[in-house]
Amino acid sequence: VQLQASGGGVVQPGGSLRLSCAASGSIFSISSFGWYRQVPGSQRELVATSSSSHGTRYAESVKGRFTFSRDDSKNMWFLQMNNLKPEDTAVYYCNADVMSTLPGSTWKYYWGQGTLVTVSS
């Protein structure tokens, strides 16, 4: 199973970006989807998660500005980021709790490689 994040870039304050994450490989089911971010020297922090059991949740700092969505038919999920601020600058990682099709598999968290978002004038 592999997760591929994309869509990062450089944007001015107030601008927008849309991140995408695509899961591929021997996937039987995905129970939760997430976006996290990390600034060098700091811990990785939750940005948004979505699951059938808990719905969609956002970090307080992004509520009203970021929107999570997903396309289950393609095993893809997205993070629409509007009104970006300099403090949103970070490497953004997607993750998912995945059950693979391999015999004996259990639920396992996978991470994408990260995509850099820079908000600067």
Side-chain angles (χ1 to χ4, degrees), residues 7-23:
V10 180
V11 64
Q12 292 186 340
S16 298
L17 284 174
R18 187 187 192 221
L19 305 183
S20 299
C21 186

Side-chain angles (χ1 to χ4, degrees), residues 39-62:
V39 175
S42 299
Q43 287 190 330
R44 194 170 295 186
E45 64 175 8
L46 169 73
V47 178
T49 63
S50 179
S51 66
S52 58
S53 56
H54 295 96
T56 301
R57 298 182 294 177
Y58 298 92
E60 286 295 326
S61 60
V62 307

Side-chain angles (χ1 to χ4, degrees), residues 35-47 59 61 87-93 111:
W35 287 101
Y36 290 72
R37 65 187 181 187
Q38 187 171 23
V39 175
S42 299
Q43 287 190 330
R44 194 170 295 186
E45 64 175 8
L46 169 73
V47 178
S61 60
E87 52 264 40
D88 294 318
T89 296
V91 177
Y92 284 70
Y93 298 89
W111 291 89

